Amino acid sequence: MNRKSKRIGARQALICTLSALMTVVASGQTPSAVLPDDKAVEKRVNALLDRMTLEEKIGQLSQLFLFGPSKQVDDALAKGQLGSLLFVTDPARINSLQRIAVEKSRLHIPLIFGFDVIHGFRTIFPVPIAMAASWDPSMVSAAQAIAAKEASSVGINWTFAPMVDIARDPRWGRIVEGAGEDPWLGSAMAAAQVRGFQGEYIGSPDHVLACMKHFAGYGAAEGGRDYDASNISETLLWNVYLRPFHAAVEAGVGSAMSAYMDLNDVPATGNRWLLHDVLRGDWRFQGFVVSDANAVKSLVVHGFAKDLPDAAVLALDAGVDMEMAIGTTAYSQNLAAAISSGKVTVQQIEEADRAVLGMKVRLGLFEHPYVDEARAARALATPEHRTAARVAAERSAVLLRNEGRLLPLGKTAYAKIAVVGPLADSQVDTLGSWAFNEDLTETVTVLAGLRNKAGSQAQLTFAPGVEISRKFPSPFAQLSRSKPPAPWTPEQAKDELRKAVDLAGSSDLTILVLGETQQMSGESASRESLALPGNEEQLLEAVAATGKPVVLVLLNGRPLDIRWAAQHIPAILEAWYPGTQGGNAIANLLFGDAVPGGKLPVTWPRDSGQVPIYYAHNTTQGPESQGKRYWDEESTPLYPFGYGLSYTTFTFSNLHVSQPQFRIGQTAEVTADVENTGPSTADEVPQIYIHQQYGSTSRPVRELKGFERITLAAHEKKTVHFSLGSKELSYWSAAKKAWVEEPARFDVWVGADSQATLHGSFTITQ
Ligand code: NOJ
């Protein structure tokens, strides 16, 4: 083992212990609360309900956004007319609002404070799609536990996360918030996040209530256009889109958010089948449902409700317990009258109250309504949290290309390094969407990270080269604390481009940082094209034309059209939006102090004309021409689902299935050997895929049914083990209208991505 590989080995060992350490750090103080049992909660809630007026009962079902001081909100709190507020993040302000609810209202019922803590609160972790790319649920769980600790330290009790929407169309801006296209990976990430946010039980100290969203089918928005309708077949709904939600429920998630859009013509927020029959009936969900912002009122916009009074009735009847809104809720304005006219019953209101109040009891809010205002200073952005964020970013990056082993870079190999690109030194664009409470000054850009790492050995120079912006501005622009720079004049644009190319030409190496700005990805950030925005492609090609070695680092929340780069740029690292410590993580990866081990959680299309494109499609007529379905472009992806390179190489061999034949209900045990055939310690993610060859419906050509991120020392070999039982082999058959496990022949593959070739098979009989 040479010196460099020893260094990488030590680093990987450190990463593993850090992952474990993050769990300890995140758990903070020892739980002291005594867990209330179901009976005690019920008794307490019933005692409260006995004393509540109808107005107070309806009040608990309203949640409002609060951005600044509001006399109207203060008055409503004193009268017990609100159950929750969202978007307040200052602990002193949280306490003063809570004091009104607790001390001035008749029954002293505390508020529950909600906020979008999506990938960190002060310490920002990589965006969710990035964390899914780590294929490391325990790391993701630990990251969300840290997010929960920071958020709860300022008085936030409830996060609107995890977002577990499956997304198979990267034009949809919110693909960045989820775990990608696959129900198995998505379920693992959903459960991991619920555990991280909530801790061992709802009300665990230093944790928050989680909220799975957006229930359900939001990720299938037609054309990838945010908020547009979803039309999802029964097969896909049960087998794909609903699975991560079910996994979150099984992990004990305490709340759910109803989605904005029409699901097969019935808006999710008025969809009794979804919120009642499936969620509470089939899945036995015990928490409460909140609507997405203004989604109850939108039932009128959808042409589903006649007017606002009708919308309030339909949403409550469907199973929305709490209405989230801006200004005022349809519930507070209309439910009392709906009771008088007999459209809803007091029992229905009380049912919703039971769910909401029960959660307030479980969270311990009645005993501890206030936050210790000094605690935030100790809990936010600690060195341990920063280390955890850096490790998370290192584990989330995906190495897409590394021709001629350009990476890792030798620390003294390049005297002059040009760092080029509009995102290379932008703090806000290193974070990604849903970062409101970050401390921008502590965010390490790629340029800053490279300076920290190599600044003393190499001369580092920077040029943005181009500037990029949205054609239509983001409606969330006003919430961002950083203002966009003034647009360049055409002259300036020419000058800047020339400067950057000259810089690349006079340097020994260029690190090109391209992708999308924070506001190009996220809510209301869908795109028609996947092209590199603005003149980034021009910059890329001009820099490459200098003939000097180029490393492309991508900061983005969706796959982009990088066909040209994939042919001409030797090294490409997908770093996503890596968060507060992004620059340090990227520098570690580029210089070999960390080894890339992330894998794509989405199929990477060649361009937007191919979408939706996903690996788990069905086999149909002419499978031999599957890759040639278009005459003007391949119909295969640029990179497959599950793909990602390392600085070392791995081989898979010896796939073994415990028996050739099983009966329904029995479990097939599958093993395979994985060997690190290179000179350094690194991570691999063995993945198992199955295909049911025939049955009552056609089944996908491949489906992921297990994975494990493992670390292998140089030349180490390990046997990985997967079980395929009813959980893995059953599916919802639209033909039989039931969950089935069918007698059939199955293919099985184990390997490094969804195109694994190591193959076995077995048969399931009656
Ligand atoms: C609307 C978004 O769709 C949802 O994800 C978010 O939690 C709420 N707004 C609250 O900010």
Side-chain angles (χ1 to χ4, degrees):
M1 198 193 266
N2 62 25
R3 264 182 44 219
K4 188 162 130 210
S5 58
K6 265 194 194 149
R7 224 176 35 232
I8 293 175
R11 180 98 201 146
Q12 284 300 324
L14 179 70
I15 284 171
C16 292
T17 32
L18 266 171
S19 188
L21 179 77
M22 279 157 67
T23 319
V24 177
V25 167
S27 70
Q29 64 196 69
T30 17
S32 57
V34 180
L35 249 184
D37 65 26
D38 292 352
K39 280 264 163 301
V41 174
E42 202 184 309
K43 210 167 141 200
R44 189 148 181 193
V45 169
N46 282 339
L48 260 179
L49 281 171
D50 281 348
R51 299 173 59 209
M52 286 167 85
T53 62
L54 181 61
E55 191 189 27
E56 286 163 341
K57 286 177 187 165
I58 293 172
Q60 284 302 308
L61 311 184
S62 282
Q63 181 190 47
L64 291 183
F65 281 83
L66 188 62
F67 294 108
S70 160
K71 164 117 183 29
Q72 200 191 332
V73 165
D74 292 355
D75 291 349
L77 292 179
K79 290 188 198 146
Q81 291 172 342
L82 280 172
S84 176
L85 292 170
L86 76 155
F87 260 75
V88 192
T89 57
D90 170 40
R93 179 101 175 99
I94 285 183
N95 274 345
S96 75
L97 291 159
Q98 188 70 297
R99 224 165 270 125
I100 305 179
V102 171
E103 290 169 22
K104 298 217 173 125
S105 77
R106 203 176 64 87
L107 292 175
H108 317 292
I109 300 176
L111 288 163
I112 174 168
F113 289 90
F115 192 60
D116 289 283
V117 184
I118 307 296
H119 55 114
F121 180 68
R122 176 65 57 81
T123 306
I124 303 296
F125 282 81
V127 287
I129 196 170
M131 290 211 274
S134 72
W135 293 60
D136 183 355
S138 59
M139 187 275 289
V140 173
S141 191
Q144 297 300 34
I146 289 174
K149 187 174 184 188
E150 292 196 351
S152 63
S153 80
V154 303
I156 290 163
N157 324 111
W158 180 22
T159 177
F160 303 116
M163 189 280 217
V164 303
D165 291 311
I166 295 288
R168 295 180 158 188
D169 185 338
R171 291 173 302 181
W172 189 52
R174 302 195 80 170
I175 191 172
V176 64
E177 291 178 53
E181 77 183 43
D182 185 71
W184 192 273
L185 180 64
S187 296
M189 291 300 158
Q193 293 188 78
V194 170
R195 285 193 297 271
F197 283 128
Q198 293 189 166
E200 277 178 40
Y201 56 90
I202 290 172
S204 294
D206 285 337
H207 286 79
V208 294
L209 182 68
C211 180
M212 63 176 192
K213 71 184 187 185
H214 307 81
F215 196 58
Y218 186 30
E222 281 182 343
R225 293 177 297 269
D226 206 2
Y227 314 128
D228 271 8
S230 294
N231 286 295
I232 307 177
S233 73
E234 192 181 332
T235 298
L236 288 178
L237 197 54
W238 283 112
N239 294 312
V240 177
Y241 287 89
L242 289 179
R243 285 226 191 198
F245 288 99
H246 193 198
V249 171
E250 288 188 325
V253 72
S255 70
M257 185 185 288
S258 66
Y260 274 135
M261 65 327 124
D262 277 350
L263 172 64
N264 300 337
D265 295 335
V266 181
T269 297
N271 198 316
R272 189 172 160 84
W273 172 78
L274 201 57
L275 302 178
H276 184 270
D277 300 1
V278 174
L279 186 60
R280 273 114 170 174
D282 291 359
W283 296 353
R284 309 245 158 262
F285 171 69
Q286 300 295 320
F288 71 94
V289 175
V290 64
S291 74
D292 202 340
N294 289 339
V296 174
K297 295 187 234 173
S298 285
L299 294 178
V300 181
V301 180
H302 287 241
F304 182 71
K306 186 168 79 186
D307 49 23
L308 288 182
D310 194 28
V313 170
L314 287 170
L316 186 78
D317 199 46
V320 174
D321 300 304
M322 183 184 274
E323 179 186 355
M324 179 195 289
I326 299 172
T328 172
T329 63
Y331 278 11
S332 62
Q333 305 298 300
N334 301 292
L335 284 182
I339 288 172
S340 310
S341 63
K343 290 194 174 125
V344 297
T345 62
V346 177
Q347 285 73 22
Q348 279 181 285
I349 306 272
E350 288 182 349
E351 207 45 41
D353 276 320
R354 272 198 185 87
V356 171
L357 291 171
M359 217 42 88
K360 289 186 176 182
V361 172
R362 287 181 197 282
L363 286 167
L365 288 172
F366 287 88
E367 283 72 31
H368 306 288
Y370 304 114
V371 61
D372 167 3
E373 288 173 33
R375 213 182 106 220
R378 300 192 299 272
L380 296 178
T382 64
E384 290 86 354
H385 293 187
R386 287 198 191 116
T387 303
R390 177 179 53 70
V391 172
E394 288 166 6
R395 291 176 80 75
S396 300
V398 182
L399 183 63
L400 297 176
R401 192 164 198 250
N402 195 15
E403 285 302 296
R405 292 184 181 268
L406 177 58
L407 296 178
L409 303 170
K411 289 215 180 84
T412 51
Y414 305 94
K416 284 179 78 183
I417 299 178
V419 182
V420 171
L423 307 174
D425 198 28
S426 165
Q427 286 172 310
V428 73
D429 299 317
T430 306
L431 298 173
S433 69
W434 294 114
F436 297 117
N437 272 74
E438 83 287 0
D439 179 355
L440 264 190
T441 57
E442 77 198 15
T443 298
V444 184
T445 64
V446 180
L447 178 64
L450 290 168
R451 286 210 164 115
N452 293 342
K453 170 89 12 196
S456 55
Q457 294 100 322
Q459 188 197 330
L460 278 144
T461 42
F462 164 66
V466 297
E467 63 170 1
I468 53 174
S469 59
R470 288 174 51 138
K471 179 170 179 182
F472 305 118
S474 164
F476 298 105
Q478 78 258 23
L479 289 179
S480 171
R481 287 190 287 162
S482 63
K483 296 287 151 251
W488 292 344
T489 61
E491 276 312 299
Q492 241 178 319
K494 242 193 249 159
D495 263 19
E496 292 289 348
L497 181 63
R498 204 199 44 220
K499 250 194 259 167
V501 177
D502 288 351
L503 198 63
S506 61
S507 300
D508 304 313
L509 170 86
T510 298
I511 297 174
L512 194 51
V513 187
L514 303 179
E516 297 183 326
T517 64
Q518 181 192 47
Q519 289 182 5
M520 291 177 174
S521 183
E523 187 174 349
S524 268
S526 292
R527 299 186 62 184
E528 160 272 338
S529 139
L530 297 177
L532 288 167
N535 290 329
E536 283 190 341
E537 184 77 35
Q538 193 188 347
L539 174 66
L540 170 82
E541 295 183 18
V543 166
T546 63
K548 298 293 178 63
V550 180
V551 177
L552 173 61
V553 175
L554 292 170
L555 299 192
N556 53 348
R558 55 159 69 86
L560 295 168
D561 177 352
I562 52 164
R563 281 175 292 182
W564 192 89
Q567 295 277 317
H568 301 95
I569 303 294
I572 308 176
L573 183 72
E574 170 55 87
W576 314 101
Y577 297 108
T580 310
Q581 280 287 310
N584 286 336
I586 290 168
N588 280 345
L589 288 159
L590 296 183
F591 285 94
D593 288 334
V595 182
K599 301 276 184 168
L600 292 177
V602 284
T603 299
W604 193 293
R606 292 167 196 273
D607 80 349
S608 63
Q610 288 186 317
V611 304
I613 182 169
Y614 47 91
Y615 82 92
H617 58 82
N618 288 0
T619 329
T620 51
Q621 172 65 25
E624 63 290 344
S625 65
Q626 185 74 56
K628 300 266 181 291
R629 295 290 205 230
Y630 304 117
W631 60 255
D632 56 349
E633 179 53 288
E634 312 284 332
S635 50
T636 53
L638 188 62
Y639 300 111
F641 174 83
Y643 169 87
L645 301 172
S646 170
Y647 294 155
T648 184
T649 45
F650 296 93
T651 57
F652 286 79
S653 61
N654 221 4
L655 190 151
H656 181 254
V657 185
S658 51
Q659 282 165 222
Q661 198 163 310
F662 301 88
R663 275 218 286 283
I664 287 181
Q666 289 185 318
T667 299
E669 305 294 346
V670 182
T671 54
D673 294 340
V674 193
E675 186 176 358
N676 179 349
T677 45
S680 52
T681 300
D683 284 10
E684 177 55 294
V685 185
Q687 302 158 38
I688 184 165
Y689 294 87
I690 62 161
H691 169 56
Q692 180 176 330
Q693 292 185 359
Y694 45 86
S696 61
T697 72
S698 307
R699 299 301 300 142
V701 48
R702 283 187 188 205
E703 292 176 276
L704 179 72
K705 291 296 172 182
F707 63 88
E708 188 188 353
R709 182 164 176 155
I710 57 172
T711 303
L712 291 180
H715 306 296
E716 189 185 346
K717 194 188 224 179
K718 253 189 201 165
T719 302
V720 285
H721 175 263
F722 298 101
S723 298
L724 299 174
S726 295
K727 182 172 174 226
E728 289 76 20
L729 301 179
S730 56
Y731 73 98
W732 177 266
S733 163
K736 294 197 176 153
K737 302 274 176 220
W739 288 98
V740 296
E741 191 183 344
E742 297 179 323
R745 184 130 186 96
F746 284 82
D747 296 299
V748 52
W749 295 266
V750 174
D753 59 45
S754 58
Q755 294 183 350
T757 50
L758 184 65
H759 176 257
S761 56
F762 59 91
T763 304
I764 298 279
T765 60
Q766 261 319 338

